[in-house]
Amino acid sequence: MRIFHRARHRPSATWRQTTDRAFTLIGDGRYEDAGALLVMAADLEPWLSDSWFNLALLHKFRRDWEQARSAGLRAVALLDRQHGAPDWWNLGITATALQDWPLARRAWQAYGLRLPGGPGLDGPIELDLGTTPVRLSPDGESEVVWGRRLDPARIEVLSIPLPSSGRRWGEVVLHDGAPHGERVADGVAYPVFDEIELWAPSPVPTWVVLLQAATAADRDALERTVADAGYAAEDWTSSVRLLCRTCSESRMAIDDGRTAHHDPHDDGDPLHPGHLSHLSQGSAGGPWQVERECGIAAPAGLVRALLERWAAASPATRAYRDLEEVC
């Protein structure tokens, strides 16, 4: 195949060495230096789609979406093949970040995905891709939560994230295409995708409260009460499990608060879970803990009323204290 009368060919050794050095620098977070090398590589091999795909990746890492779109379009124009090329997937993420919906549809369809609707649609892509875990703030105090996939690059957060992640229930995050780890639930493995950036914020604040719940049924009643109002509550005492990076990015069974798990890098005492343990307090096989730390996602004008309603339904077994907005 020829483009502008020039035959495609294998990249030169200089191109390969320059590109390898650039990705080493990217791994070290030296994006400016890496960018200079990738521009040099594109000058060496301007007819090679990989030259522009690599630049598009760099711009994605830097969240420079306009430059990522420009380089991505040049990459797909030089492809030898169409369906399944990662260049299209990367361009789909970029177009989603920019809310360039016609380009996003073109990219996903060129990659090989079937989308509903006909030509001429220019609104957001709305798909039913099920639930999946997503790693929030992967470069900081990362946290894996569950969310609903809206399209190939967006996830709506369904869990209540811890305040350290800086994320809220109901927010939509842009995520990368390459999974880092898996979570196994009911025998099904779900890929864990890394958040790239916040795509749409949530107006609903996160609260933490200490519950006095005599039984698991009392705890469950609060979660139902809040859910019936259109919001969410989550018992962090049983749902939160701290993992090292190696374990977090591997294949892990979810902690349902009932089944004990042992992880190869667990430094905690299985009988006394603590901040170094990979076991939540709810999965250690011990007696029910009456005091529970609970996260609630609800408006400021409603959260206390929901707690009062829950406690009033069984005052002998339910109470709360220390309600605080944390995110």
Side-chain angles (χ1 to χ4, degrees):
M1 179 178 180
R2 292 177 178 272
I3 296 179
F4 300 116
H5 309 291
R6 175 168 178 168
R8 292 187 184 274
H9 59 277
R10 292 182 178 275
S12 65
T14 302
W15 183 94
R16 292 195 299 269
Q17 292 166 1
T18 302
T19 301
D20 289 345
R21 176 58 180 158
F23 275 92
T24 298
L25 293 173
I26 289 174
D28 294 335
R30 297 172 57 185
Y31 293 148
E32 293 295 333
D33 295 335
L37 290 177
L38 290 179
V39 168
M40 184 185 304
D43 288 339
L44 288 169
E45 302 285 356
W47 315 105
L48 191 66
S49 63
D50 285 354
S51 294
W52 303 104
F53 173 70
N54 293 336
L55 269 172
L57 275 180
L58 173 67
H59 293 313
K60 182 183 74 172
F61 296 150
R62 299 174 62 184
R63 316 298 188 254
D64 187 344
W65 298 114
E66 293 290 350
Q67 291 290 342
R69 176 168 56 185
S70 178
L73 286 170
R74 296 192 70 167
V76 297
L78 295 168
L79 284 173
D80 288 319
R81 62 188 176 97
Q82 295 294 315
H83 292 305
D87 309 66
W88 283 114
W89 190 278
N90 200 56
L91 188 58
I93 294 174
T94 297
T96 303
L98 292 168
Q99 300 187 43
D100 183 345
W101 301 117
L103 179 58
R105 283 187 169 81
R106 176 189 167 200
W108 300 132
Q109 289 170 336
Y111 182 79
L113 301 182
R114 300 184 66 179
L115 301 180
L121 295 178
D122 57 4
I125 298 170
E126 299 292 344
L127 302 176
D128 183 12
L129 299 180
T131 58
T132 196
V134 58
R135 181 175 290 104
L136 303 177
S137 303
D139 296 326
E141 294 193 29
S142 63
E143 176 184 1
V144 175
V145 300
W146 287 83
R148 180 170 67 94
R149 296 193 72 185
L150 305 177
D151 64 20
R154 292 182 299 150
I155 293 176
E156 179 187 9
V157 177
L158 299 179
S159 302
I160 302 178
L162 296 174
S164 58
S165 72
R167 295 287 174 259
R168 289 176 166 181
W169 171 85
E171 291 188 325
V172 177
V173 297
L174 189 74
H175 71 84
D176 220 336
H180 280 163
E182 293 180 332
R183 295 296 181 269
V184 181
D186 298 325
V188 178
Y190 297 85
V192 180
F193 297 103
D194 284 352
E195 173 197 345
I196 297 175
E197 67 180 13
L198 178 64
W199 191 86
S202 169
V204 181
T206 302
W207 305 80
V208 64
V209 64
L210 289 178
L211 303 180
Q212 298 293 316
T215 66
D218 290 308
R219 183 271 316 278
D220 295 344
L222 176 63
E223 294 181 349
R224 287 195 302 272
T225 297
V226 179
D228 289 344
Y231 299 99
E234 183 176 328
D235 179 7
W236 284 341
T237 297
S238 63
S239 68
V240 174
R241 182 163 49 138
L242 301 186
L243 302 177
C244 65
R245 180 174 294 273
T246 299
C247 289
S248 179
E249 296 181 355
S250 66
R251 184 184 179 97
M252 300 292 298
I254 65 166
D255 193 339
D256 59 7
R258 300 175 180 85
T259 305
H261 301 287
H262 176 71
D263 305 324
H265 302 96
D266 194 341
D267 296 318
D269 181 351
L271 298 179
H272 302 89
H275 72 285
L276 293 179
S277 179
H278 296 189
L279 295 174
S280 76
Q281 296 183 42
S283 65
W288 173 260
Q289 292 183 330
V290 173
E291 186 167 271
R292 322 290 297 180
E293 185 176 58
C294 181
I296 300 179
L302 182 62
V303 62
R304 195 173 294 275
L306 292 172
L307 286 164
E308 293 287 353
R309 185 187 310 167
W310 167 76
S314 182
T317 61
R318 302 174 189 174
Y320 74 92
R321 62 182 175 86
D322 297 342
L323 177 66
E324 179 185 2
E325 183 177 348
V326 290
C327 185

